[in-house]
Every structure is written in C-alpha cells, then in structure tokens.
C-alpha cells in the first residue's frame, strides 16, 4: 500500500487539517518521502529513540505515534533531535503523528478509550480547545464508588506499576465523568461547570489539589502515558483492516 494513501486515509479519519491552528504538534506525516510502499506499520505512544529502534527491529515501514518530534518546528537538527530523526531516514522508516486529533476522536480517540473502559453512556464532546474538543464526558449506568473507579483504572491501564492518584473531594457516588487524557487538569473548571462528579486525566499540576477540594470534585491522575495508549491501539486495528501487518510497541513510562 502506498504511503500517501495511508496518510490520506488517516488524515481524513482524524480530521488532521481541522487541528492545524490549535495544536502545537505538526500532525500528519512528519518524516517520510512523498511515495513509498508500506507493508508493515508499528504503533507507539511516543516517537522516541526506543520506539524508533524497535520499529526498525520489527522491519516496519511506518511508525505511527501520538507524540511526535516536531512541536512548532525545528531551529536545528542536532543533538537529541538528530539522534531521533537520523535512524528514521537511514532505515526508510516513515513517521506519522496524531496528537490532539487522536485525543478528541469520538470513537478512536484516547478519551473515547477511557470512556469505553469505564462503560460510560450518553457521551458528548468535552474539553474545549478553540473550535475543537480533546476529551469526552459521559455517565455511568451504575454509579461508581470512588475507590472502585480508581481500582478499575489502576487494574486496566499500563501504569508501569505506578498507582493511580486520587484526589478524593467529590461525592460518594460518581455518575458523571469528564475525561481529558494526558495533561488535562486545565479543564477542571469546565468539568465543574458541566456538573461532573469526577475528572479523569493523566497528570496534574500542583494547583489542582486545592482547586478540586474547593470545587468538591474527584480527580483521578492515572498517568500521562497510561491514559494515551488507547488511540494508537485503535489506529492499529483501523489500519489492519487495510491489509497491513502491524505491531504495537509498549514503552510505559510510569508517568
């Protein structure tokens, strides 16, 4: 399958162009020729030396990641940037990136994956980011006890052995859940305004403790990496339907 066809299909499904003005990431094809034959694709959360090397070992022609290499462009291709880009070019390994488009996709996205894990119903977009959304909100058919929701996340996410942190300031029964994966505590006020009982995200900032306490809302910090494995795994299944061989590269950080 031609690389350009893979890129066009992914860009269309993920609405890559719609996020061009709201995402610092250069989404889409970041490294690669205009045309190349793709037989094997590897998928990973982070486009880093470890996953690049492992994709090369797997004889992949394409590496698809959530966190890529270009965040507002390069001033110089030296040091760490060179060390990551050089193996891609030397081994004819293309790199495709989807950051915020993959966070907010209603079916394939990271927040959608967390919502699936929690079996949330009545879902709607959440997490305003300019004209787009980067998360989801939904309701639990059977309200969660706070400890049960934490345990469900901790048991099912790739946390690298780290516990899920829980700021236990909300109601005894959690029904309405807002989700922004990765670093999502900036959307706490939106969650409170929406009437959510809990915000599920990856990592937090120091100020969120008192903000959550004063607002009376639960916050679950399940790890940046752990909450963002869903999107690339969904893309792997999506691409497999096109007849490509695929592999998923686990590289949990515990963060």
């Amino acid at each position: 399958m031609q690389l350009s066809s893979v890129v066009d299909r992914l860009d269309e499904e993920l609405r890559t162009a719609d996020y061009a003005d709201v995402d610092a990431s250069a989404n889409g094809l970041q490294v690669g020729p205009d045309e190349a034959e793709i037989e094997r694709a590897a998928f990973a959360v982070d486009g880093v030396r470890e996953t690049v090397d492992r994709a090369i070992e797997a004889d992949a022609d394409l590496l698809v990641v959530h966190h890529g290499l270009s965040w507002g462009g390069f001033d110089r291709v030296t040091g760490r940037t060179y060390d990551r880009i050089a193996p891609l070019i030397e081994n004819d390994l293309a790199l495709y990136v989807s950051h915020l488009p993959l966070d907010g996709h209603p079916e394939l996205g990271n927040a959608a994956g967390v919502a699936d894990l929690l079996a949330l119903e009545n879902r709607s977009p959440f997490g305003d980011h300019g004209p787009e959304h980067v998360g989801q909100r939904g309701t639990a058919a059977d309200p969660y006890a706070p400890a049960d929701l934490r345990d469900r996340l901790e048991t099912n996410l790739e946390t690298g052995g780290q516990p899920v942190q829980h700021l236990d300031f909300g109601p005894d029964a959690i029904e309405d859940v807002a989700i922004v994966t990765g670093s999502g505590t900036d959307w706490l006020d939106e969650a409170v305004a929406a009437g959510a009982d809990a915000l599920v995200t990856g990592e937090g900032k120091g100020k969120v403790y008192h903000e959550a306490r004063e607002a009376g809302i639960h916050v679950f910090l399940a790890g940046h990496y752990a909450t963002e494995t869903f999107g690339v795994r969904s893309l792997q299944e999506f691409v497999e339907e096109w007849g490509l061989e695929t592999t998923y590269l686990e590289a949990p950080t515990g963060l």
Side-chain angles (χ1 to χ4, degrees):
M1 188 173 185
Q2 286 296 308
L3 175 61
S4 59
S5 179
V6 175
V7 169
D8 288 346
R9 288 191 188 189
L10 288 174
D11 282 347
E12 180 180 4
E13 178 63 34
L14 295 165
R15 297 193 301 112
T16 299
D18 293 338
Y19 286 81
D21 294 332
V22 298
D23 196 350
S25 172
N27 296 308
L29 185 66
Q30 282 195 359
V31 179
D34 292 333
E35 289 295 343
E37 187 68 24
I38 303 298
E39 296 181 356
R40 300 177 188 84
F43 295 79
V45 174
D46 301 309
V48 293
R49 188 61 188 268
E50 177 184 356
T51 54
V52 169
D53 288 346
R54 289 171 59 190
I56 293 168
E57 291 174 5
D59 199 25
D61 308 300
L62 171 66
L63 176 59
V64 178
V65 302
H66 180 51
H67 300 129
L69 302 179
S70 177
W71 302 87
F74 303 116
D75 293 326
R76 304 175 191 275
V77 181
T78 60
R80 182 186 301 116
T81 302
Y82 178 86
D83 290 341
R84 290 177 175 177
I85 291 177
L88 293 166
I89 296 173
E90 291 168 358
N91 292 275
D92 296 322
L93 177 62
L95 178 69
Y96 183 93
V97 176
S98 187
H99 184 231
L100 295 186
L102 192 53
D103 283 326
H105 193 282
E107 289 88 30
L108 303 177
N110 289 314
V114 176
D116 288 342
L117 173 62
L118 299 177
L120 300 184
E121 302 174 347
N122 305 315
R123 300 184 197 178
S124 59
F126 176 80
D128 288 347
H129 195 79
E132 302 296 337
H133 293 85
V134 293
Q136 282 195 7
R137 179 174 161 231
T139 57
D142 296 315
Y144 282 98
D148 291 341
L149 195 153
R150 183 197 63 230
D151 290 346
R152 189 171 182 87
L153 293 170
E154 198 166 289
T155 301
N156 291 279
L157 296 182
E158 300 172 34
T159 63
Q162 299 301 310
V164 171
Q165 293 180 282
H166 174 206
L167 305 182
D168 188 3
F169 299 128
D172 292 337
I174 298 174
E175 183 175 3
D176 194 309
V177 181
I179 304 166
V180 177
T181 62
S183 180
T185 55
D186 286 343
W187 283 272
L188 179 70
D189 287 344
E190 184 179 337
V192 172
D197 302 314
L199 172 66
V200 176
T201 187
E203 62 182 279
K205 300 176 181 178
K207 65 179 183 177
V208 74
Y209 178 92
H210 287 289
E211 289 176 346
R213 184 176 184 178
E214 291 164 10
I217 186 173
H218 294 281
V219 176
F220 295 88
L221 305 174
H224 196 128
Y225 177 94
T227 58
E228 298 199 324
T229 61
F230 295 96
V232 287
R233 284 188 178 275
S234 294
L235 285 185
Q236 179 185 7
E237 295 178 3
F238 187 65
V239 167
E240 280 179 348
E241 296 178 359
W242 307 342
L244 294 178
E245 295 181 29
T246 69
T247 185
Y248 176 69
L249 308 174
E250 293 187 20
T253 65
L255 301 174

